[in-house]
Amino acid sequence: MGEAPEPNPEASPATGPEASPATGPGTAARPGPETGYPTALGASTRTSITLLGEDLAADIMGTVGFGELAFRLATQRRPSAGEVRVFEAVLAALADHGFTPTALVTRLTYLSAPDSVQGALAAGLLGGGSRFLGVTEDCGRFLHEALAALEGPPPADDAGWDAVALRLVRARRAAGERVPGLGHHVHKDGDPRTPRLQRIAAEEGLYGPHLSLFAAIGRVHPQVLRRTLPLNGAGVCGAALADLGLPTELLRAFALLARTAGLIGQLAEELRNPVGEAVFLSVDLNNRPVPPDPYRPDPDFPPAREAHGGPHG
């Protein structure tokens, strides 16, 4: 038997009428070996790599900064200089914030498994949730949904924004829910990142409706909550990213991108000046034995067997 010919690694996926069952304009063929798998991101041949339609080695490496590249990968468009400045300011704001749970778990995981840097980084990133880092997405999405629900154009002045914000804060209070982006466990008198990012966005002409509504929430919430809380950095970052037109579904991903750099810094410092073992021993050697505290089900919640009508339903 003759040998089968070697596949050409530089050959492009088959295209044209012979490769696609699609007929008529606007009919999309289902991706597969015959039609190819469409992507505008990275693609390789034996001699070259393309990314976003450009030659990676010749056009991007040494020319495009990482922040700009991250923006382009998410949007598949070239950002303006102002957009890059705001975007990178957000990344800087979220990169590190000290011994937060994400930083501690990264250090402790490395203490337990020094052979798994990826595990230590992943452990820290998995902690990005509703209290740390995830607030960026929660706030951006909250503002975006509120703006989408407006009847008519956005307000033209602070008084109009304040009226919208007041309705939102009252609704959240009535529902027993927090307003995303309000409050901080350390910066109780004001998060220094917030006015700085607001100023940068204004300087670049990118202070849009999300930031306007967020600022209004900061002005009116004491009327409803009867106390003054700071607009935190994670929240203002979510508002700024939303004003850049980035998908609200990905806002947490940008926070995690930023925090990855911070966690690498935490690991680098742990190598030189370790604290993970001290944290572990501080807890382990100072535990306080107490009697068992058995779990008690809620008396108003029926057991699963009764709730579902027993084994025979």
Side-chain angles (χ1 to χ4, degrees), residues 124-206:
L125 295 177
L126 289 172
S130 59
R131 293 188 177 180
F132 291 87
L133 293 177
V135 176
T136 297
E137 177 187 325
D138 296 342
C139 185
R141 187 186 294 269
F142 168 69
L143 297 170
H144 193 71
E145 291 174 352
L147 291 169
L150 288 179
E151 296 181 0
D157 54 25
D158 284 352
W161 283 116
D162 287 356
V164 174
L166 197 57
R167 291 197 300 270
L168 287 174
V169 176
R170 284 172 174 164
R172 297 289 285 197
R173 178 65 181 270
E177 299 174 338
R178 294 183 178 182
V179 177
L182 269 184
H184 196 281
H185 68 291
V186 175
H187 305 302
K188 297 185 181 300
D189 299 318
D191 191 320
R193 298 171 295 178
T194 299
R196 176 59 175 158
L197 187 54
Q198 290 172 323
R199 188 160 55 250
I200 290 172
E203 290 170 356
E204 299 299 337
L206 294 168

Side-chain angles (χ1 to χ4, degrees), residues 242-254:
D243 272 344
L244 291 177
L246 296 167
T248 55
E249 298 87 351
L250 294 181
L251 298 188
R252 187 176 305 191
F254 297 118

Side-chain angles (χ1 to χ4, degrees), residues 287-307:
N287 67 77
R288 180 171 56 87
V290 297
D293 183 15
Y295 169 71
R296 295 173 178 81
D298 185 343
D300 297 325
F301 186 78
R305 183 183 182 94
E306 295 180 13

